[in-house]
Amino acid sequence: MSNPADRLDRYDGYLQQDPDNTSLAVEAFELALSLGLHARAEGYLDHAQASAGEDPYLQYRRASLRAAQGRWEDALALQAELCQRFPEDNDLRAALANLLHYAGRYEEADTIWSVLQENGSMPGYAWANRLRTLHFLGRLEEAMLLGETCAPALQEAPEAAGVLSLIAVDAGRFDDARRWVQLALQATPESIEALTTTGALALASKDPAGAIAALTRVVQSKPHEGRAWSSLGVAHLLQQEAGAAQSNFQHALALMPGHIGSWHGLGWACLLTGDVAKAKGAFEQGLSLDRNFGESHGAVAVACALAGLRDEAERHIELAQRLDSTGLSAKFAQAVLSGTLQRPDEFQALVARALRGVEAPDGRSLIDWIRQ
């Protein structure tokens, strides 16, 4: 297969010979956009527009380019103007909803999706992003109900099936997740959402090797998937591969620094390697995000106890127990302070056992806390 950059150069030669070939200029635009060559993509679009005039789908592509450049307001203004000019064009309305979704304006996107859905005019390819919007809004049961009521349409939209499988995992409906992920993977074996679901289901089954196999494919294909990096860290923790887990959680936190579970995962991975200072810093970062989360106080207490900071450890144990009397971390900290765990290897063995699934009184393990 030819190098994409070489193919783009060939497009330049073809367009010199056939300057009025709008479809060729659009093909060159799409390739340049996929390569992140935004200035060059703009040039191809200008070339196409010079030949075709005010073609609405060229303006749609310019809106896509503005989005790729991070110029969201410009992108949305261009697309909204198109929708005003062509109010009956459902593809253009779906494209506006897509842009609103990726701009983080989920409520506005949902308004458009709802109208398309109610009118029975949702384009088939748009179901995936319609479900993603519901997912981001936290309306999981609504998304699951939509999956059941619109099952025939989703059967023809494997990308949507992959999204729905991940929503089902987050809703705790693992049987539904298995059903949808099978449909998605049959049609699209490299579906990012379906592979992420596969990893999550493997983790739920305490199958870290299966999770690592699926999630590694995700991060190799899409290295900006923070959720996959974090889940990969959990899988490596279950395997007692603390170094790999640390690296995974660091990747996750570079992408989603507000994820408390990844800070906890990083902290426990550091404790397994004996790096108490780094663990304390990670737990404190998690605590700074939510000071009412008992496990964060308990985790800080563990690190303080191991560092010999008795007063600070006791303060955090008290806060942890006020917030959650069943928390495991506070119990670990108490064991360290009382001398029940007198050597680092004893502590690390207990943590390893807890990470493998020893449950708290409420039915959760340390891995469950981290996954949350």
Side-chain angles (χ1 to χ4, degrees), residues 66-94:
R66 294 291 176 264
Q69 293 169 323
R71 295 167 56 181
W72 289 104
E73 292 307 315
D74 290 342
L76 290 167
L78 283 169
Q79 196 63 35
E81 193 267 338
L82 271 180
C83 290
Q84 289 177 346
R85 286 169 55 199
F86 304 96
E88 302 304 316
D89 192 317
N90 295 320
D91 289 317
L92 292 176
R93 293 161 73 195

Side-chain angles (χ1 to χ4, degrees), residues 16-268:
Q16 285 180 354
Q17 298 172 17
D18 189 5
D20 295 329
N21 192 328
T22 302
S23 62
L24 194 62
V26 169
E27 286 180 30
F29 162 80
E30 297 290 356
L31 180 57
L33 186 62
S34 72
L35 294 172
L37 302 174
H38 296 159
R40 201 162 171 180
E42 186 104 49
Y44 292 126
L45 207 53
D46 290 342
H47 186 115
Q49 199 146 28
S51 301
E54 291 299 318
D55 184 326
Y57 280 89
L58 292 179
Q59 184 169 325
Y60 154 72
R61 287 182 169 85
R62 200 173 300 274
S64 299
L65 174 60
R66 294 291 176 264
Q69 293 169 323
R71 295 167 56 181
W72 289 104
E73 292 307 315
D74 290 342
L76 290 167
L78 283 169
Q79 196 63 35
E81 193 267 338
L82 271 180
C83 290
Q84 289 177 346
R85 286 169 55 199
F86 304 96
E88 302 304 316
D89 192 317
N90 295 320
D91 289 317
L92 292 176
R93 293 161 73 195
L96 178 57
N98 282 340
L99 286 174
L100 287 164
H101 173 90
Y102 288 113
R105 291 163 60 168
Y106 306 118
E107 294 286 358
E108 294 173 71
D110 180 62
T111 298
I112 297 174
W113 294 133
S114 296
V115 172
L116 290 171
Q117 187 181 322
E118 289 167 8
N119 292 343
S121 53
M122 180 81 73
Y125 61 83
W127 280 109
N129 268 356
R130 198 285 175 267
L131 290 167
R132 288 188 183 105
T133 297
L134 289 173
H135 195 186
F136 276 84
L137 288 171
R139 288 155 54 185
L140 306 186
E141 290 303 325
E142 183 178 342
M144 293 303 300
L145 179 61
L146 184 60
E148 297 304 325
T149 56
C150 299
L154 296 187
Q155 295 276 347
E156 304 300 319
E159 184 183 4
V163 177
L164 197 58
S165 74
L166 194 54
I167 293 171
V169 164
D170 289 347
R173 294 171 56 172
F174 292 156
D175 287 342
D176 288 326
R178 292 185 186 95
R179 176 164 57 90
W180 287 112
V181 80
Q182 183 178 16
L183 178 64
L185 290 175
Q186 282 175 348
T188 314
E190 296 305 314
S191 164
I192 294 303
E193 277 109 346
L195 288 171
T196 303
T197 297
T198 301
L201 291 172
L203 282 177
S205 301
K206 299 296 190 293
D207 174 17
I212 289 169
L215 295 166
T216 298
R217 290 169 63 190
V218 174
V219 298
Q220 286 175 342
S221 175
K222 297 286 185 180
H224 298 298
E225 290 290 326
R227 173 177 180 154
W229 281 113
S230 187
S231 296
L232 197 54
V234 173
H236 280 295
L237 274 181
L238 283 168
Q239 293 274 61
Q240 306 305 301
E241 296 165 350
Q246 283 188 54
S247 176
N248 297 148
F249 286 124
Q250 285 165 343
H251 276 294
L253 289 165
L255 297 164
M256 45 183 203
H259 187 236
I260 294 174
S262 292
W263 285 113
H264 277 230
L266 178 60
W268 289 109

